[in-house]
Amino acid sequence: MSAAEYLRITGLHAFYGESHILHGVDLDVRRGECVSLLGRNGAGRTTTLRAILGLIGRRTGSVMFNGRELIGLPPHRIARLGVGYCPEERGIYASLSCEENLLLPPRVAGGGLTLEAIYDLFPNLHERRRSQGTRLSGGEQQMLAVARILRTGARLLLLDEVSEGLAPVIVTKLAEVIRTLRASDYTVVLVEQNFRFAAPLADRMVVIERGRVAAVIAQHELDSKRDFLQEVLGV
Amino acid sequence: MSGLFGVPWPALMGQLMLGLVNGSFYAILSLGLAVIFGMLNIINFAHGALYMMGAFLAWMGLRYWGIGYGWALLLVPVLVGIVGIVIERAFLQWLYRLDHLYGLLLTFGLALIIEGLFRHQYGVSGLPYEIPAPLTGAFNLGFMFLPRYRAWVIAVSLSVCLGTWIVIEKTRLGAYLRAATENPRLTAAFGINVPLLVTLAYGFGVGLAGLAGVLAAPVFQVNPLMGSNLIIVVFAVVVIGGMGSILGSIVTGIGLGVIEGLSKVFYPEASATVVFVVMALVLMLRPAGLFGREQ
Ligand SMILES: Nc1ncnc2c1ncn2[C@@H]1O[C@H](COP(=O)(O)OP(=O)(O)OP(=O)(O)O)[C@@H](O)[C@H]1O
Ligand SMILES: [Mg+2]
């Protein structure tokens, strides 16, 4: 298996009940790469992540991860193969304390960050470790949602709108964290609304439109395609 | 002679103890219902029948195979738990995405079938189950005699409830359970085998009912209707405590047992209905129950 095939999505269709949301998404992500999924509201970016994890009612096509087919596997098996997920709605549990939230996802592989390393990275979480998860501020909850999957050893991270609604300092901090992860050979799929956050981080930008990949733009093409991006994203 | 409002202390304490015994059963049974409701989103109407099955298994063990009370206390909950796991895998797992009503109807049907089987075999007259020898007799507390077996029932129930509460609130397994109760899909996306947890939760919940059945065998007569007599009150307890609340089910169970016991002393006519009066009041003032989260 070559590095080029770390995550290979071909002809992915996804459905919520009767509504057909993804219409054949094709996407390759190399190992150690950071790919950003951009698109207008409702384009199908969140659905793409959820379909990778099997959180969608029905999906067809193929999702190969590290040489394994994920279509047909239940979500907990997919996660165990080394996929970490930070959902759009953050998914902090009210019935768990901050630290319990942090410790919830089981380790799926070696090499994850230790609890100490995570607290070094996010000192706020250490301060608030005994608080009920949902009592944390929006920014703290977002950090918790990201931190939670760094412990597990998962090497493919699916991050959905991590910069949304956060203060600029925290956004800078998250960008720093993602840059560090990339440098340490994590593979990141970054769903973003915030183009200026994603642009400097991503090796490639994938534009999703109406449940399909509309364009793929490499980092070095960014300047020449800026007008095109502005048009399709409405930014 | 001393007393409270003209009721002598020994009578008062005696009813209080009886109330605590009944409350212990309410607590264990509603605790199981709370665990099941939290994880499966199903109102388990078969709970009373499985409690009755627990009492019968204890009785049958002694009668046919010479298995004594001590072993029954260990084995019967496991057996009833296994029956629960079979029920969950065979029937309940298909209902989780549907309305509560489907689970309620299915488990109600199962309750009728289980009760019917035991009625067919044993009739409706009660079968006696002796109090095991080491637990016969009473403690003389000075102001009253406390039957040993009653003290035992209260002690076992409280320990089991407390143990369950600690596991759910303080351990890693408990964190998995709470997470899966709150957001099962996301919890699965973290690599936790939620369907397995759900199956085990049902097995555990009905195992508790089986345990209550064994504890009840020497107190009440073993008979096929013992479950349906008790379960109505237990459902009232669940509503008062708040659907799915672990602590709520324990505290409310014991509390209502005591209230019921005391009403037998002060106003016996009300003792059969006091629980439902409390339920009506609570529903008016706090529709989600005393310990329930408002939606
Ligand atoms: N649970 C659901 N049931 C039915 N339709 C849904 C559901 N979730 C999303 N959709 C629909 O699927 C389409 C794609 O949604 P998705 O969440 O993937 O969009 P997105 O690209 O992440 O955009 P954004 O997050 O900005 O809304 C939308 O039209 C949305 O209305
Ligand atoms: Mg989205």
Side-chain angles (χ1 to χ4, degrees), chain B residues 52-53 56-57 59-60 63-65 112-127 222-225:
Chain B
M52 176 272 291
M53 183 189 279
F56 258 100
L57 286 175
W59 180 87
M60 288 157 72
R63 170 80 190 263
Y64 303 130
W65 304 292
L112 293 180
I113 292 171
I114 296 169
E115 275 181 12
L117 288 175
F118 279 93
R119 267 172 89 155
H120 176 72
Q121 195 63 33
Y122 297 102
V124 286
S125 56
L127 302 164
V222 177
N223 103 56
L225 298 180

PDB file of all heavy atoms in Angstrom, chain B residues 52-53 56-57 59-60 63-65 112-127 222-225:
ATOM      1  N   MET B  52     -40.651 -11.656  39.382  1.00  0.00           N
ATOM      2  CA  MET B  52     -41.382 -12.873  39.768  1.00  0.00           C
ATOM      3  C   MET B  52     -40.585 -14.117  39.353  1.00  0.00           C
ATOM      4  O   MET B  52     -40.448 -15.076  40.114  1.00  0.00           O
ATOM      5  CB  MET B  52     -42.762 -12.826  39.099  1.00  0.00           C
ATOM      6  CG  MET B  52     -43.636 -14.022  39.280  1.00  0.00           C
ATOM      7  SD  MET B  52     -43.381 -15.293  38.044  1.00  0.00           S
ATOM      8  CE  MET B  52     -44.028 -14.504  36.569  1.00  0.00           C
ATOM      9  N   MET B  53     -40.010 -14.069  38.149  1.00  0.00           N
ATOM     10  CA  MET B  53     -39.213 -15.206  37.682  1.00  0.00           C
ATOM     11  C   MET B  53     -38.035 -15.447  38.636  1.00  0.00           C
ATOM     12  O   MET B  53     -37.701 -16.600  38.954  1.00  0.00           O
ATOM     13  CB  MET B  53     -38.696 -14.937  36.262  1.00  0.00           C
ATOM     14  CG  MET B  53     -37.914 -16.091  35.670  1.00  0.00           C
ATOM     15  SD  MET B  53     -37.122 -15.629  34.103  1.00  0.00           S
ATOM     16  CE  MET B  53     -38.472 -15.808  32.983  1.00  0.00           C
ATOM     17  N   PHE B  56     -39.327 -17.252  41.615  1.00  0.00           N
ATOM     18  CA  PHE B  56     -39.638 -18.637  41.256  1.00  0.00           C
ATOM     19  C   PHE B  56     -38.386 -19.471  41.061  1.00  0.00           C
ATOM     20  O   PHE B  56     -38.326 -20.631  41.465  1.00  0.00           O
ATOM     21  CB  PHE B  56     -40.502 -18.690  39.983  1.00  0.00           C
ATOM     22  CG  PHE B  56     -41.944 -18.931  40.296  1.00  0.00           C
ATOM     23  CD1 PHE B  56     -42.848 -17.888  40.324  1.00  0.00           C
ATOM     24  CD2 PHE B  56     -42.395 -20.213  40.613  1.00  0.00           C
ATOM     25  CE1 PHE B  56     -44.167 -18.105  40.644  1.00  0.00           C
ATOM     26  CE2 PHE B  56     -43.724 -20.443  40.927  1.00  0.00           C
ATOM     27  CZ  PHE B  56     -44.614 -19.375  40.950  1.00  0.00           C
ATOM     28  N   LEU B  57     -37.376 -18.880  40.420  1.00  0.00           N
ATOM     29  CA  LEU B  57     -36.137 -19.641  40.199  1.00  0.00           C
ATOM     30  C   LEU B  57     -35.528 -20.030  41.551  1.00  0.00           C
ATOM     31  O   LEU B  57     -35.017 -21.139  41.713  1.00  0.00           O
ATOM     32  CB  LEU B  57     -35.151 -18.836  39.359  1.00  0.00           C
ATOM     33  CG  LEU B  57     -35.494 -18.732  37.871  1.00  0.00           C
ATOM     34  CD1 LEU B  57     -34.516 -17.800  37.160  1.00  0.00           C
ATOM     35  CD2 LEU B  57     -35.488 -20.105  37.205  1.00  0.00           C
ATOM     36  N   TRP B  59     -37.180 -20.485  44.328  1.00  0.00           N
ATOM     37  CA  TRP B  59     -38.047 -21.529  44.870  1.00  0.00           C
ATOM     38  C   TRP B  59     -37.803 -22.869  44.171  1.00  0.00           C
ATOM     39  O   TRP B  59     -37.654 -23.914  44.804  1.00  0.00           O
ATOM     40  CB  TRP B  59     -39.510 -21.095  44.716  1.00  0.00           C
ATOM     41  CG  TRP B  59     -40.503 -22.100  45.232  1.00  0.00           C
ATOM     42  CD1 TRP B  59     -40.961 -22.220  46.508  1.00  0.00           C
ATOM     43  CD2 TRP B  59     -41.149 -23.132  44.466  1.00  0.00           C
ATOM     44  NE1 TRP B  59     -41.856 -23.254  46.598  1.00  0.00           N
ATOM     45  CE2 TRP B  59     -41.984 -23.837  45.364  1.00  0.00           C
ATOM     46  CE3 TRP B  59     -41.103 -23.529  43.121  1.00  0.00           C
ATOM     47  CZ2 TRP B  59     -42.774 -24.906  44.966  1.00  0.00           C
ATOM     48  CZ3 TRP B  59     -41.887 -24.604  42.716  1.00  0.00           C
ATOM     49  CH2 TRP B  59     -42.708 -25.281  43.637  1.00  0.00           C
ATOM     50  N   MET B  60     -37.718 -22.829  42.833  1.00  0.00           N
ATOM     51  CA  MET B  60     -37.506 -24.055  42.072  1.00  0.00           C
ATOM     52  C   MET B  60     -36.137 -24.663  42.394  1.00  0.00           C
ATOM     53  O   MET B  60     -36.003 -25.882  42.522  1.00  0.00           O
ATOM     54  CB  MET B  60     -37.598 -23.768  40.559  1.00  0.00           C
ATOM     55  CG  MET B  60     -39.012 -23.488  40.094  1.00  0.00           C
ATOM     56  SD  MET B  60     -39.051 -22.537  38.554  1.00  0.00           S
ATOM     57  CE  MET B  60     -38.524 -23.756  37.397  1.00  0.00           C
ATOM     58  N   ARG B  63     -36.505 -26.408  45.657  1.00  0.00           N
ATOM     59  CA  ARG B  63     -37.440 -27.514  45.596  1.00  0.00           C
ATOM     60  C   ARG B  63     -36.921 -28.690  44.759  1.00  0.00           C
ATOM     61  O   ARG B  63     -36.966 -29.831  45.169  1.00  0.00           O
ATOM     62  CB  ARG B  63     -38.754 -26.971  45.001  1.00  0.00           C
ATOM     63  CG  ARG B  63     -39.784 -27.987  44.634  1.00  0.00           C
ATOM     64  CD  ARG B  63     -40.553 -28.451  45.867  1.00  0.00           C
ATOM     65  NE  ARG B  63     -41.373 -29.579  45.539  1.00  0.00           N
ATOM     66  CZ  ARG B  63     -42.660 -29.497  45.238  1.00  0.00           C
ATOM     67  NH1 ARG B  63     -43.265 -28.323  45.287  1.00  0.00           N
ATOM     68  NH2 ARG B  63     -43.335 -30.557  44.930  1.00  0.00           N
ATOM     69  N   TYR B  64     -36.371 -28.385  43.569  1.00  0.00           N
ATOM     70  CA  TYR B  64     -36.003 -29.465  42.652  1.00  0.00           C
ATOM     71  C   TYR B  64     -34.542 -29.879  42.742  1.00  0.00           C
ATOM     72  O   TYR B  64     -34.190 -30.999  42.446  1.00  0.00           O
ATOM     73  CB  TYR B  64     -36.328 -29.078  41.203  1.00  0.00           C
ATOM     74  CG  TYR B  64     -37.772 -28.718  40.974  1.00  0.00           C
ATOM     75  CD1 TYR B  64     -38.117 -27.548  40.309  1.00  0.00           C
ATOM     76  CD2 TYR B  64     -38.809 -29.547  41.436  1.00  0.00           C
ATOM     77  CE1 TYR B  64     -39.452 -27.209  40.092  1.00  0.00           C
ATOM     78  CE2 TYR B  64     -40.133 -29.209  41.231  1.00  0.00           C
ATOM     79  CZ  TYR B  64     -40.454 -28.037  40.564  1.00  0.00           C
ATOM     80  OH  TYR B  64     -41.757 -27.707  40.365  1.00  0.00           O
ATOM     81  N   TRP B  65     -33.677 -28.921  43.056  1.00  0.00           N
ATOM     82  CA  TRP B  65     -32.253 -29.251  42.984  1.00  0.00           C
ATOM     83  C   TRP B  65     -31.530 -29.030  44.307  1.00  0.00           C
ATOM     84  O   TRP B  65     -30.316 -29.119  44.375  1.00  0.00           O
ATOM     85  CB  TRP B  65     -31.571 -28.446  41.881  1.00  0.00           C
ATOM     86  CG  TRP B  65     -32.216 -28.646  40.541  1.00  0.00           C
ATOM     87  CD1 TRP B  65     -32.214 -29.783  39.800  1.00  0.00           C
ATOM     88  CD2 TRP B  65     -32.984 -27.680  39.804  1.00  0.00           C
ATOM     89  NE1 TRP B  65     -32.930 -29.595  38.645  1.00  0.00           N
ATOM     90  CE2 TRP B  65     -33.420 -28.317  38.615  1.00  0.00           C
ATOM     91  CE3 TRP B  65     -33.350 -26.350  40.022  1.00  0.00           C
ATOM     92  CZ2 TRP B  65     -34.203 -27.664  37.663  1.00  0.00           C
ATOM     93  CZ3 TRP B  65     -34.113 -25.711  39.068  1.00  0.00           C
ATOM     94  CH2 TRP B  65     -34.536 -26.373  37.914  1.00  0.00           C
ATOM     95  N   LEU B 112     -46.900 -10.626  30.024  1.00  0.00           N
ATOM     96  CA  LEU B 112     -48.097 -11.477  30.051  1.00  0.00           C
ATOM     97  C   LEU B 112     -47.730 -12.925  29.740  1.00  0.00           C
ATOM     98  O   LEU B 112     -48.232 -13.857  30.369  1.00  0.00           O
ATOM     99  CB  LEU B 112     -49.130 -10.969  29.045  1.00  0.00           C
ATOM    100  CG  LEU B 112     -49.755  -9.617  29.368  1.00  0.00           C
ATOM    101  CD1 LEU B 112     -50.757  -9.227  28.283  1.00  0.00           C
ATOM    102  CD2 LEU B 112     -50.445  -9.646  30.729  1.00  0.00           C
ATOM    103  N   ILE B 113     -46.824 -13.102  28.772  1.00  0.00           N
ATOM    104  CA  ILE B 113     -46.440 -14.468  28.397  1.00  0.00           C
ATOM    105  C   ILE B 113     -45.711 -15.155  29.564  1.00  0.00           C
ATOM    106  O   ILE B 113     -46.026 -16.288  29.936  1.00  0.00           O
ATOM    107  CB  ILE B 113     -45.546 -14.450  27.144  1.00  0.00           C
ATOM    108  CG1 ILE B 113     -46.375 -13.998  25.935  1.00  0.00           C
ATOM    109  CG2 ILE B 113     -44.943 -15.829  26.893  1.00  0.00           C
ATOM    110  CD1 ILE B 113     -45.550 -13.739  24.691  1.00  0.00           C
ATOM    111  N   ILE B 114     -44.755 -14.441  30.150  1.00  0.00           N
ATOM    112  CA  ILE B 114     -43.979 -15.052  31.238  1.00  0.00           C
ATOM    113  C   ILE B 114     -44.903 -15.387  32.406  1.00  0.00           C
ATOM    114  O   ILE B 114     -44.869 -16.496  32.955  1.00  0.00           O
ATOM    115  CB  ILE B 114     -42.845 -14.095  31.691  1.00  0.00           C
ATOM    116  CG1 ILE B 114     -41.844 -13.896  30.544  1.00  0.00           C
ATOM    117  CG2 ILE B 114     -42.129 -14.652  32.924  1.00  0.00           C
ATOM    118  CD1 ILE B 114     -40.845 -12.785  30.780  1.00  0.00           C
ATOM    119  N   GLU B 115     -45.771 -14.443  32.758  1.00  0.00           N
ATOM    120  CA  GLU B 115     -46.706 -14.708  33.853  1.00  0.00           C
ATOM    121  C   GLU B 115     -47.624 -15.872  33.528  1.00  0.00           C
ATOM    122  O   GLU B 115     -47.893 -16.725  34.374  1.00  0.00           O
ATOM    123  CB  GLU B 115     -47.544 -13.460  34.138  1.00  0.00           C
ATOM    124  CG  GLU B 115     -46.843 -12.510  35.077  1.00  0.00           C
ATOM    125  CD  GLU B 115     -47.689 -11.280  35.391  1.00  0.00           C
ATOM    126  OE1 GLU B 115     -48.900 -11.282  35.062  1.00  0.00           O
ATOM    127  OE2 GLU B 115     -47.126 -10.327  35.929  1.00  0.00           O
ATOM    128  N   GLY B 116     -48.091 -15.889  32.278  1.00  0.00           N
ATOM    129  CA  GLY B 116     -48.988 -16.964  31.856  1.00  0.00           C
ATOM    130  C   GLY B 116     -48.334 -18.329  31.996  1.00  0.00           C
ATOM    131  O   GLY B 116     -48.954 -19.289  32.472  1.00  0.00           O
ATOM    132  N   LEU B 117     -47.048 -18.409  31.604  1.00  0.00           N
ATOM    133  CA  LEU B 117     -46.343 -19.690  31.707  1.00  0.00           C
ATOM    134  C   LEU B 117     -46.295 -20.160  33.162  1.00  0.00           C
ATOM    135  O   LEU B 117     -46.562 -21.332  33.452  1.00  0.00           O
ATOM    136  CB  LEU B 117     -44.923 -19.548  31.157  1.00  0.00           C
ATOM    137  CG  LEU B 117     -44.818 -19.401  29.634  1.00  0.00           C
ATOM    138  CD1 LEU B 117     -43.372 -19.134  29.220  1.00  0.00           C
ATOM    139  CD2 LEU B 117     -45.343 -20.664  28.955  1.00  0.00           C
ATOM    140  N   PHE B 118     -45.951 -19.240  34.070  1.00  0.00           N
ATOM    141  CA  PHE B 118     -45.851 -19.651  35.472  1.00  0.00           C
ATOM    142  C   PHE B 118     -47.227 -19.965  36.067  1.00  0.00           C
ATOM    143  O   PHE B 118     -47.370 -20.877  36.875  1.00  0.00           O
ATOM    144  CB  PHE B 118     -45.126 -18.573  36.296  1.00  0.00           C
ATOM    145  CG  PHE B 118     -43.633 -18.647  36.154  1.00  0.00           C
ATOM    146  CD1 PHE B 118     -42.969 -17.898  35.194  1.00  0.00           C
ATOM    147  CD2 PHE B 118     -42.889 -19.499  36.960  1.00  0.00           C
ATOM    148  CE1 PHE B 118     -41.596 -17.977  35.042  1.00  0.00           C
ATOM    149  CE2 PHE B 118     -41.502 -19.590  36.820  1.00  0.00           C
ATOM    150  CZ  PHE B 118     -40.857 -18.823  35.859  1.00  0.00           C
ATOM    151  N   ARG B 119     -48.243 -19.231  35.656  1.00  0.00           N
ATOM    152  CA  ARG B 119     -49.598 -19.524  36.135  1.00  0.00           C
ATOM    153  C   ARG B 119     -50.051 -20.890  35.676  1.00  0.00           C
ATOM    154  O   ARG B 119     -50.662 -21.651  36.418  1.00  0.00           O
ATOM    155  CB  ARG B 119     -50.580 -18.485  35.584  1.00  0.00           C
ATOM    156  CG  ARG B 119     -50.779 -17.330  36.512  1.00  0.00           C
ATOM    157  CD  ARG B 119     -51.592 -16.283  35.822  1.00  0.00           C
ATOM    158  NE  ARG B 119     -53.016 -16.496  36.025  1.00  0.00           N
ATOM    159  CZ  ARG B 119     -53.898 -15.520  35.948  1.00  0.00           C
ATOM    160  NH1 ARG B 119     -53.498 -14.291  35.658  1.00  0.00           N
ATOM    161  NH2 ARG B 119     -55.166 -15.748  36.156  1.00  0.00           N
ATOM    162  N   HIS B 120     -49.748 -21.172  34.413  1.00  0.00           N
ATOM    163  CA  HIS B 120     -50.123 -22.453  33.837  1.00  0.00           C
ATOM    164  C   HIS B 120     -49.493 -23.584  34.648  1.00  0.00           C
ATOM    165  O   HIS B 120     -50.130 -24.593  34.948  1.00  0.00           O
ATOM    166  CB  HIS B 120     -49.656 -22.500  32.392  1.00  0.00           C
ATOM    167  CG  HIS B 120     -49.908 -23.812  31.715  1.00  0.00           C
ATOM    168  ND1 HIS B 120     -51.169 -24.204  31.356  1.00  0.00           N
ATOM    169  CD2 HIS B 120     -49.068 -24.804  31.361  1.00  0.00           C
ATOM    170  CE1 HIS B 120     -51.098 -25.400  30.802  1.00  0.00           C
ATOM    171  NE2 HIS B 120     -49.823 -25.784  30.790  1.00  0.00           N
ATOM    172  N   GLN B 121     -48.248 -23.391  35.035  1.00  0.00           N
ATOM    173  CA  GLN B 121     -47.514 -24.447  35.711  1.00  0.00           C
ATOM    174  C   GLN B 121     -47.845 -24.525  37.202  1.00  0.00           C
ATOM    175  O   GLN B 121     -47.972 -25.601  37.759  1.00  0.00           O
ATOM    176  CB  GLN B 121     -46.013 -24.184  35.520  1.00  0.00           C
ATOM    177  CG  GLN B 121     -45.124 -25.365  35.839  1.00  0.00           C
ATOM    178  CD  GLN B 121     -45.404 -26.547  34.905  1.00  0.00           C
ATOM    179  OE1 GLN B 121     -45.755 -26.364  33.736  1.00  0.00           O
ATOM    180  NE2 GLN B 121     -45.291 -27.756  35.424  1.00  0.00           N
ATOM    181  N   TYR B 122     -48.012 -23.368  37.846  1.00  0.00           N
ATOM    182  CA  TYR B 122     -48.078 -23.369  39.311  1.00  0.00           C
ATOM    183  C   TYR B 122     -49.364 -22.803  39.897  1.00  0.00           C
ATOM    184  O   TYR B 122     -49.509 -22.724  41.104  1.00  0.00           O
ATOM    185  CB  TYR B 122     -46.880 -22.587  39.881  1.00  0.00           C
ATOM    186  CG  TYR B 122     -45.556 -23.230  39.543  1.00  0.00           C
ATOM    187  CD1 TYR B 122     -44.753 -22.724  38.535  1.00  0.00           C
ATOM    188  CD2 TYR B 122     -45.130 -24.363  40.237  1.00  0.00           C
ATOM    189  CE1 TYR B 122     -43.550 -23.330  38.211  1.00  0.00           C
ATOM    190  CE2 TYR B 122     -43.925 -24.978  39.921  1.00  0.00           C
ATOM    191  CZ  TYR B 122     -43.142 -24.453  38.915  1.00  0.00           C
ATOM    192  OH  TYR B 122     -41.962 -25.060  38.597  1.00  0.00           O
ATOM    193  N   GLY B 123     -50.288 -22.345  39.041  1.00  0.00           N
ATOM    194  CA  GLY B 123     -51.517 -21.773  39.585  1.00  0.00           C
ATOM    195  C   GLY B 123     -51.241 -20.430  40.229  1.00  0.00           C
ATOM    196  O   GLY B 123     -50.144 -19.893  40.121  1.00  0.00           O
ATOM    197  N   VAL B 124     -52.250 -19.893  40.926  1.00  0.00           N
ATOM    198  CA  VAL B 124     -52.045 -18.562  41.483  1.00  0.00           C
ATOM    199  C   VAL B 124     -51.906 -18.559  42.999  1.00  0.00           C
ATOM    200  O   VAL B 124     -51.758 -17.511  43.608  1.00  0.00           O
ATOM    201  CB  VAL B 124     -53.182 -17.591  41.091  1.00  0.00           C
ATOM    202  CG1 VAL B 124     -53.040 -17.182  39.648  1.00  0.00           C
ATOM    203  CG2 VAL B 124     -54.531 -18.198  41.367  1.00  0.00           C
ATOM    204  N   SER B 125     -52.002 -19.745  43.619  1.00  0.00           N
ATOM    205  CA  SER B 125     -51.844 -19.713  45.073  1.00  0.00           C
ATOM    206  C   SER B 125     -50.364 -19.598  45.410  1.00  0.00           C
ATOM    207  O   SER B 125     -49.505 -20.065  44.671  1.00  0.00           O
ATOM    208  CB  SER B 125     -52.429 -20.983  45.685  1.00  0.00           C
ATOM    209  OG  SER B 125     -51.825 -22.100  45.100  1.00  0.00           O
ATOM    210  N   GLY B 126     -50.076 -18.916  46.510  1.00  0.00           N
ATOM    211  CA  GLY B 126     -48.683 -18.645  46.848  1.00  0.00           C
ATOM    212  C   GLY B 126     -47.943 -19.894  47.279  1.00  0.00           C
ATOM    213  O   GLY B 126     -48.509 -20.814  47.866  1.00  0.00           O
ATOM    214  N   LEU B 127     -46.661 -19.946  46.954  1.00  0.00           N
ATOM    215  CA  LEU B 127     -45.811 -21.045  47.401  1.00  0.00           C
ATOM    216  C   LEU B 127     -44.883 -20.498  48.475  1.00  0.00           C
ATOM    217  O   LEU B 127     -44.299 -19.434  48.298  1.00  0.00           O
ATOM    218  CB  LEU B 127     -44.990 -21.568  46.221  1.00  0.00           C
ATOM    219  CG  LEU B 127     -45.813 -22.055  45.032  1.00  0.00           C
ATOM    220  CD1 LEU B 127     -44.959 -22.179  43.783  1.00  0.00           C
ATOM    221  CD2 LEU B 127     -46.462 -23.383  45.382  1.00  0.00           C
ATOM    222  N   VAL B 222     -44.309 -16.703  47.093  1.00  0.00           N
ATOM    223  CA  VAL B 222     -43.897 -16.785  45.697  1.00  0.00           C
ATOM    224  C   VAL B 222     -45.125 -17.121  44.868  1.00  0.00           C
ATOM    225  O   VAL B 222     -45.723 -18.180  45.045  1.00  0.00           O
ATOM    226  CB  VAL B 222     -42.834 -17.880  45.521  1.00  0.00           C
ATOM    227  CG1 VAL B 222     -42.452 -18.019  44.056  1.00  0.00           C
ATOM    228  CG2 VAL B 222     -41.615 -17.569  46.370  1.00  0.00           C
ATOM    229  N   ASN B 223     -45.539 -16.187  44.009  1.00  0.00           N
ATOM    230  CA  ASN B 223     -46.684 -16.488  43.169  1.00  0.00           C
ATOM    231  C   ASN B 223     -46.631 -15.697  41.873  1.00  0.00           C
ATOM    232  O   ASN B 223     -46.014 -14.633  41.804  1.00  0.00           O
ATOM    233  CB  ASN B 223     -47.980 -16.336  43.979  1.00  0.00           C
ATOM    234  CG  ASN B 223     -48.731 -15.071  43.703  1.00  0.00           C
ATOM    235  OD1 ASN B 223     -49.072 -14.777  42.557  1.00  0.00           O
ATOM    236  ND2 ASN B 223     -48.971 -14.309  44.755  1.00  0.00           N
ATOM    237  N   PRO B 224     -47.237 -16.241  40.803  1.00  0.00           N
ATOM    238  CA  PRO B 224     -47.029 -15.663  39.468  1.00  0.00           C
ATOM    239  C   PRO B 224     -47.472 -14.209  39.344  1.00  0.00           C
ATOM    240  O   PRO B 224     -47.061 -13.530  38.415  1.00  0.00           O
ATOM    241  CB  PRO B 224     -47.888 -16.567  38.566  1.00  0.00           C
ATOM    242  CG  PRO B 224     -47.969 -17.858  39.292  1.00  0.00           C
ATOM    243  CD  PRO B 224     -48.006 -17.495  40.752  1.00  0.00           C
ATOM    244  N   LEU B 225     -48.315 -13.748  40.268  1.00  0.00           N
ATOM    245  CA  LEU B 225     -48.809 -12.374  40.137  1.00  0.00           C
ATOM    246  C   LEU B 225     -48.033 -11.385  40.993  1.00  0.00           C
ATOM    247  O   LEU B 225     -48.331 -10.193  40.988  1.00  0.00           O
ATOM    248  CB  LEU B 225     -50.298 -12.320  40.516  1.00  0.00           C
ATOM    249  CG  LEU B 225     -51.187 -13.169  39.612  1.00  0.00           C
ATOM    250  CD1 LEU B 225     -52.638 -13.073  40.044  1.00  0.00           C
ATOM    251  CD2 LEU B 225     -51.035 -12.747  38.159  1.00  0.00           C
TER     252      LEU B 225
END
